[in-house]
Amino acid sequence: MKCFANLDSDYRRYAERINSDSEFNVLSYLSSHDTSLFWASRSRSIDDQMRAANALMLSPGAVQIYYGDEIARDLGASGSDSHQGTRSDMPWDKITGQRETLLKHWQALGDFRLRHPAIAKGEHITHQQSGYYAFERRYQDDKVLIVYTGE
């Protein structure tokens, strides 16, 4: 719950700006080819990876999924370029077990986001009570209510 509640001010700020300035958008991401891999640098817990996926995929604006975030890809060999490890091959043969579960989670979030333009473009309305965090997004005739009760 803290994960989303801590993001609420960012979610609200992004949504307000997106809805008030037709030329504004924001791009959110966990990893990129010239930063680090979320899995390798921040948390090696599949549960944390799922929470990060939730936070990213429910963000207002555009989102970028850097290849491998959806399966907790390990950092590859770096050599003389410190960022080369972020550009390693996709380990197709290692998408099993928890990594396959994580991939399915990302896919479900992606499908949900695709079906609901309010996630990216909607007005952000917070509903926070003791024990849970919730928000609505409304855009044209699309409305979603997200309720998060986890840690």
Side-chain angles (χ1 to χ4, degrees), residues 5-32:
N6 291 340
L7 286 172
D8 191 68
S9 63
D10 290 332
Y11 281 179
R12 182 179 296 109
R13 185 169 34 99
Y14 293 167
E16 285 173 359
R17 192 76 194 278
I18 288 166
N19 284 287
S20 66
D21 181 348
S22 63
E23 294 186 19
F24 177 84
N25 203 344
V26 63
L27 175 65
S28 299
Y29 57 91
L30 300 175
S31 304
S32 80

Side-chain angles (χ1 to χ4, degrees), residues 10-131:
D10 290 332
Y11 281 179
R12 182 179 296 109
R13 185 169 34 99
Y14 293 167
E16 285 173 359
R17 192 76 194 278
I18 288 166
N19 284 287
S20 66
D21 181 348
S22 63
E23 294 186 19
F24 177 84
N25 203 344
V26 63
L27 175 65
S28 299
Y29 57 91
L30 300 175
S31 304
S32 80
H33 69 280
D34 59 0
T35 59
S36 61
L37 298 181
F38 186 79
W39 170 252
S41 65
R42 292 186 187 89
S43 177
R44 295 190 66 88
S45 156
I46 292 295
D47 289 338
D48 285 351
Q49 297 296 309
M50 287 185 176
R51 282 190 283 275
N54 295 342
L56 177 67
M57 295 300 284
L58 296 172
S59 295
V63 296
Q64 172 183 298
I65 304 167
Y66 187 61
Y67 80 99
D69 277 347
E70 70 275 28
I71 61 153
R73 180 171 62 94
D74 290 315
L75 193 64
S78 290
S80 62
D81 178 353
S82 62
H83 296 298
Q84 187 59 38
T86 65
R87 302 174 188 131
S88 61
D89 294 338
M90 185 72 157
W92 298 107
D93 59 332
K94 293 182 181 174
I95 305 174
T96 61
Q98 285 190 314
R99 288 181 175 189
E100 185 175 14
T101 300
L102 179 60
L103 175 60
K104 288 178 181 178
H105 183 74
W106 275 95
Q107 290 170 332
L109 288 167
D111 288 345
F112 182 75
R113 187 177 174 95
L114 181 63
R115 287 191 319 271
H116 294 287
I119 298 294
K121 299 177 182 180
E123 173 189 11
H124 181 82
I125 304 159
T126 304
H127 302 277
Q128 192 165 356
Q129 299 291 324
S130 179

